[in-house]
Structures are given as structure tokens and as C-alpha cells.
Amino acid sequence: MLQSLITHSTTQKISLLESNFWITLLTSSPSFKMPQRSPEFSGSVKLKYVKLGYQYLVNHFLTFLLVPVIAGILLELIRLGPDEIATLWKSLQFDFIQILCSSYLIIFISTLYFVSRPRPVYLVDYACYKPPVTCRVPFSCFMEHSRLILSTEPKSVEFQMRILERSGLGEETCLPPAIHYIPPAPSMEAARKEAEMVIFSAVDTLFKKTGLEAKDVDILIVNCSLFSPTPSLTAMVINKYKMRGDIKSFNLSGMGCSAGMISINLARDLLQSYPNSIAVVVSTEIITPNYYQGKERSMLLPNCLFRMGGAAIFLSNRRSDSIRAKYRLLHVVRTHKGADDKAYRCVFEEEDPEGKSGISLSKDLMAIAGEALKSNITTIGPLVLPASEQLLFLISLMGRKFFNPKWKPYIPDFKQAFDHFCIHAGGRAVIDELQKNLQLSAEHVEASRMTLHRFGNTSSSSLWYELSYIEAKGRMRKGNRVWQIAFGSGFKCNSAVWKCIKSIEIPTDGPWSDCIDRYPVDIPEVVKL
């Protein structure tokens, strides 16, 4: 009897510790840390202006170098006068063969440049799926369902409530119809119906907005991580819209929340190979077959965070589409940590001891995400950062290598490279940590926070809801650069850089059309249920 009581008490303590760990993991800053600049440097007004002057000097170094040279040449020409200039020109002897060879060389180099340079890839437009109000899951509804489904597991119900209170989600997020049943009724038919509802609605909206016809689509890519039926989702789309028989279709699965950036990368590579082509990318996650009905806490987390969502994106390399396109794709950077066993298993689909399948999140998730992010930043930095930031980073790197390894590495100011940031709305903690370590303002991460609040974690499509939020607020201007960052199972960190090529008017439709005036909203640390 005594042994039984001791065992029961120990089990309760372990359960409580595990619960507190997961709540801390999702609602506070992750465990990984990136070095910070000294507060004295950033807080000093004088040094602030010194830094601004340094940035201006380094970033415009060539201009400062060329202006005196050009001015000197102009002054010399003015001093010589027109007669001496004409005499000097006549004194030059030009051989016909030399002129001909020089002309051919210039033509050859110009042709080689225009043929070998990559084709520009344009984002003409995109559309996000907006779930119907009948699919909404207020906190009270979610918790009531949890109590009924897990009636014999009050601690698991309490755990979900504590996660939901601190999640950053709002009252208007949505789950598919099959999950509204008590108990949930996932099936292949229900999953297909959800896929049709989300994907067809997004594609219909895209076709209507752009005037694009199904027969004009040359490349079709659909990414959905956890639902991969036969025939594929791409086949489902082709059948629905009666697309051409020679269409190049690709179905990506199992790649997690960062699969949207992988699809963009694949579309870019294909558009480099096929001139005058149009690609449609569909990013979504089907919730129905993956709603966990067990009691393992590491597998209950996705139930609290993931919600319905999807997006359809129209990409093109046709010159005629550049006139109406919104953005031009500049870079896609992909980082994969799958060679490490912990990284490979940190987001893992498996069965619990009772045979119920779900997605298990490892306790190492945040540390692994931090390493993936650092690798991605290291790769993308030289591609986008101005010369002033790269020079400071190089000086810091050389100083640590040759003088003092304990020097804090310089973290570049990415606000010098980007005007807008779309951080995957995977959870409040990730957004908090990226904001702190990249030294972003509240406005820079506003789109991510509000997307998490209004739509929840919509997996790979969340980045497009965030971009739509920025547009709905009227903040996107011609020349602005956008950085999209996403994390996914495997473990991956993928990012894309877009440049706005025209000022975008505030849209009258879209997922934010009926609520943008209410945002941004204040999101408390804890919402008491």
C-alpha cells in the first residue's frame, strides 16, 4: 500500500513537471539565445548618429569615390574648350578592323549576359482561404469538447486549457467540420472534403482575382504535409479544373510548416527551365486526419495550435505579367538539419502507447530551431545585407578568430535589408524570440502576432496571411523588401526574399476584409478561461 502511494505521488510530480515544461516552452522565450549588442551602444544617441553616418558612408562609398573623378573630368573639359576637344578627337586614329572587333566583342558579351542571367520570377497575386463562421472554435467550445472527449483524463484537459490561455490564439480560429463532432469523426472522406473546401476555395478566388484560366497553367505544385491520398492532391486539382494533359504537377508531403517556401523554390527552378510559363502553388495543411485523441501531452500540443488555412499563389516568368505583378522573387534560402538525429526526430509522427497516432513535439525543439535559424541567417546575410553591416560582421569575425575568441559576435541589423518581416506564426514564443534577437519593433512582428490570433497556426500558408495583413494595412510600397521565414519538420528553416515592384492599394477583399479595422488588438500574456 505504501509503495503504491509513493509511486502515485512520484507519477503526479513527474506529470506536473512535464506540464510546466511544455507551457514554458510554448509561452515564454525559447532556450536558444543569440548574442546581443551592448545596451550602451544602442542606447547612446551620439553613437546612434555615428552609426548612421558610418552606414551612409560605407553604403555609398562608390558614389563618393566617383563624384570627384567625374567632377574633375568635367572641369578639365570645360578648361580645354570646344576647339581643343575637337582637335584632340581628330588626332585619335581609329582602325576599321579594331572598331569592328570591338563592336563584335561588345555584342557577344551583351548577348552572353542576357542569355545566362536567371529569368525573373514574378508573384502576380495570391489568395488566402477564409473559413466559414460555422467552423469557428471559441475557447469555450474547444474546452467543452476536450472535457467530453477526455472525460477520464482531467489533467490532460487542464494542460490543454493552460496552453490555450497562453497560446496567443483568438476566439475566431477554425477547425474542420469533422473535428466538431463528439468524439471527432476523422475519415478519408472527411479529409478529402476538407481538402476540397480549402484548396478549391483558394484557387477559385485566385482565378477570379487575376483572370487566370486553368488551361493557362503550365506548372502546378501542392504542398500538404500530413495528408497524402491517392490520387494526389494535385490530381484532385487537375480533375476539378480540367487542366491540360501536359501540365507539370508536383505533390509535396511530409515537409512540415516550411513546405510553402520549398514549393516556391521548386517553382522558381522550374520557371528557370521553362520560359513563358505560369506556375500555381497551393500551400495548406489538412487537419481532419491528424487530430490527436489520446492523452500524451507532447502530442496534444498541435491540437491547441493548428487551425484551418490555405493559400494559392500565382507565379510567372512571362514579361507581360511583370506589368501587373506585385512582387519579384529575389532569393530563396533553405537550411536542413536532418543529419542530426535529434533534429530529425524533434517533430515526429508516431503512435502513443495506446496506438493512437499524432504529431509528437520534442523537448529539444526550440534549441534545434535556433540552430537552424542561425544557419539560415548566416547564408542569407551576404545576399541581402548592405556593405556597412557586412563589414562590421567581417571585423567581428576576424577579431574573434585572430584576437579574442570570447568577443561577442556581431548580429547584423536586418532592418537595414528588409522593410517587412513575415515570421511563421507557429507560436508566441518563436515570434517573441525572433523579435528580441533580431531587434525588431512591435510593428515588424505585428503581422505574425495578428495572424496567430485571428487564424491560428495554419502551417505553411501562415506566411501568406501575414503578407495579406501588411497589404490590408496599406503598408506595402514600391521598392519594399519582405523576408518570409518558416520552420518545418526534418528539421528545416527556409526563407524567401521578395521585392515589391509596385505600390499596392488596400484590397477590398481577402481574409482580413471584414476585421482589419479591429486590428491590431492587445493580446494579454494569459487569457483566463
Side-chain angles (χ1 to χ4, degrees), residues 115-139:
V115 170
S116 61
R117 70 172 182 170
R119 295 187 179 92
V121 174
Y122 301 103
L123 193 164
V124 179
D125 213 334
Y126 62 96
C128 297
Y129 170 69
K130 187 176 181 179
V133 293
T134 54
C135 291
R136 287 184 181 176
V137 186
F139 291 161

Side-chain angles (χ1 to χ4, degrees), residues 135-306:
C135 291
R136 287 184 181 176
V137 186
F139 291 161
S140 58
C141 178
F142 183 90
M143 291 313 305
E144 183 64 22
H145 280 221
S146 295
R147 291 188 185 97
L148 293 171
I149 295 167
L150 298 171
S151 57
T152 60
E153 298 292 336
K155 292 188 180 297
S156 295
V157 175
E158 182 185 357
F159 169 74
Q160 288 188 91
M161 182 177 71
R162 294 174 69 187
I163 290 294
L164 204 61
E165 287 177 337
R166 297 160 175 81
S167 64
L169 273 66
E171 297 275 6
E172 298 180 285
T173 61
C174 297
L175 286 172
I179 307 303
H180 288 254
Y181 287 94
I182 302 175
S187 64
M188 177 61 74
E189 182 182 3
R192 283 189 183 276
K193 285 183 178 179
E194 182 193 349
E196 291 172 356
M197 178 168 59
V198 174
I199 294 174
F200 293 166
S201 296
V203 174
D204 285 342
T205 304
L206 180 68
F207 284 178
K208 183 179 179 181
K209 286 175 67 176
T210 60
L212 181 65
E213 296 185 6
K215 63 180 178 62
D216 297 326
V217 179
D218 303 289
I219 299 164
L220 175 65
I221 302 170
V222 177
N223 68 263
C224 178
S225 186
L226 296 172
F227 181 56
S228 185
T230 300
S232 67
L233 295 177
T234 50
M236 183 184 78
V237 175
I238 292 169
N239 176 260
K240 165 70 175 178
Y241 296 98
K242 310 304 177 188
M243 293 180 169
R244 300 197 320 254
D246 63 345
I247 189 171
K248 299 160 188 66
S249 62
F250 300 85
N251 196 93
L252 307 182
S253 64
M255 293 187 172
C257 300
S258 66
M261 295 296 95
I262 297 173
S263 296
I264 295 297
N265 184 59
L266 175 59
R268 182 197 65 176
D269 292 344
L270 290 168
L271 289 171
Q272 294 302 317
S273 301
Y274 298 97
N276 297 315
S277 296
I278 290 174
V280 170
V281 174
V282 179
S283 293
T284 188
E285 191 59 79
I286 304 305
I287 305 295
T288 297
N290 305 293
Y291 194 83
Y292 178 62
Q293 300 183 57
K295 60 184 181 181
E296 291 294 318
R297 292 178 181 178
S298 65
M299 301 171 79
L300 283 169
L301 291 170
N303 289 2
C304 301
L305 299 176
F306 282 87

Side-chain angles (χ1 to χ4, degrees), residues 27 33 47 56 82 93 112 121 129 171 194 206 220 340 358 365 369 384 399 421 481 517:
T27 59
K33 298 291 180 185
L47 285 178
Y56 191 83
Q93 298 293 325
L112 189 64
V121 174
Y129 170 69
E171 297 275 6
E194 182 193 349
L206 180 68
L220 175 65
D340 180 75
L365 175 60
V384 299
F421 297 80
R481 292 193 177 200
D517 294 335

